[in-house]
Amino acid sequence: MHVHPYERMWIRLSAVLLVVFGIAIAVSSLALGVTIPGATPRSVATGLPADATPSQGWVRELGPGRYEVNLVARMWGFEPNVIRVPKGSTVTFYVHSQDVLHGFKIKDTTVSMMAIPGQVGRASYTFEEPGEYLYVCHEYCGLGHHVMSGKVIVE
Ligand code: CUA
C-alpha cells in the first residue's frame, strides 16, 4: 500500500503526541498528585466559617455593611431564597450543592459560579444600588430547574 510521505509524517507525529500526552497524564497524576474534581468533599478554600456546610443556609451580619451568606442549592430551590441587606453592603457567599450540579448567578452582578457537590464556592459582591437582584440556577439540574431562584433585596 502506498502512503504519501506527508501522510506518513502526520501519522507518526500523531502517534508521538499520543505517547507524550499519555506520559504527561501519568506524571501529573502519579508524581504531582493532580486529580479531577470528584464528589469527595475537600476544602477548596481556607478561612471558611466552621458552619459553612451544605446542611443549612443562613445569613449573618459580620459588622456594619458586611454580611456572609451560606447558600445551599438543592433540587429545586435555594436556602435562603430571600436575602435582605442594606444598600452598600458587601456580601460574601459560600455556595454548596446538596445533591447534583447546580448554578448560582446573581443578575446584574459579577457573581456567577457552579454549585458543585462536595465543594464550596466563594464570591463577594458589594451592592451599591438598591433594588431586587434575582439569582437563578443556570446549570440544567432536572425537571424543576426553571423554578430554582431567589433574590437579594437591597434596601
Ligand atoms: Cu439547579 Cu438548575
Side-chain angles (χ1 to χ4, degrees):
M1 185 179 70
H2 175 72
V3 179
H4 191 281
Y6 276 166
E7 214 166 318
R8 186 174 301 129
M9 187 189 80
W10 286 113
I11 290 169
R12 288 198 180 122
L13 186 64
S14 304
V16 168
L17 282 177
L18 277 180
V19 172
V20 168
F21 293 152
I23 291 171
I25 291 171
V27 168
S28 57
S29 67
L30 300 176
L32 304 177
V34 175
T35 56
I36 57 167
T40 315
R42 63 172 185 173
S43 176
V44 292
T46 53
L48 290 179
D51 53 351
T53 65
S55 57
Q56 201 185 3
W58 45 256
V59 182
R60 176 187 295 149
E61 185 174 1
L62 296 176
R66 294 192 307 123
Y67 291 81
E68 279 183 332
V69 175
N70 194 61
L71 192 104
V72 180
R74 63 172 76 93
M75 290 188 273
W76 287 285
F78 291 104
E79 182 189 332
N81 64 3
V82 176
I83 299 164
R84 285 175 190 276
V85 294
K87 173 177 177 284
S89 297
T90 298
V91 184
T92 300
F93 297 90
Y94 302 103
V95 179
H96 313 261
S97 167
Q98 226 174 36
D99 38 44
V100 299
L101 189 73
H102 295 280
F104 177 59
K105 176 178 173 59
I106 310 179
K107 192 174 176 288
D108 300 329
T109 71
T110 53
V111 178
S112 176
M113 68 174 87
M114 291 198 286
I116 303 169
Q119 297 192 20
V120 189
R122 177 164 59 183
S124 290
Y125 188 79
T126 302
F127 293 89
E128 303 284 7
E129 298 296 324
E132 290 194 359
Y133 295 75
L134 184 71
Y135 52 83
V136 297
C137 174
H138 65 323
E139 294 285 342
Y140 183 71
C141 56
L143 279 181
H145 164 71
H146 60 289
V147 299
M148 200 169 161
S149 69
K151 60 188 169 187
V152 179
I153 300 173
V154 180
E155 306 176 311

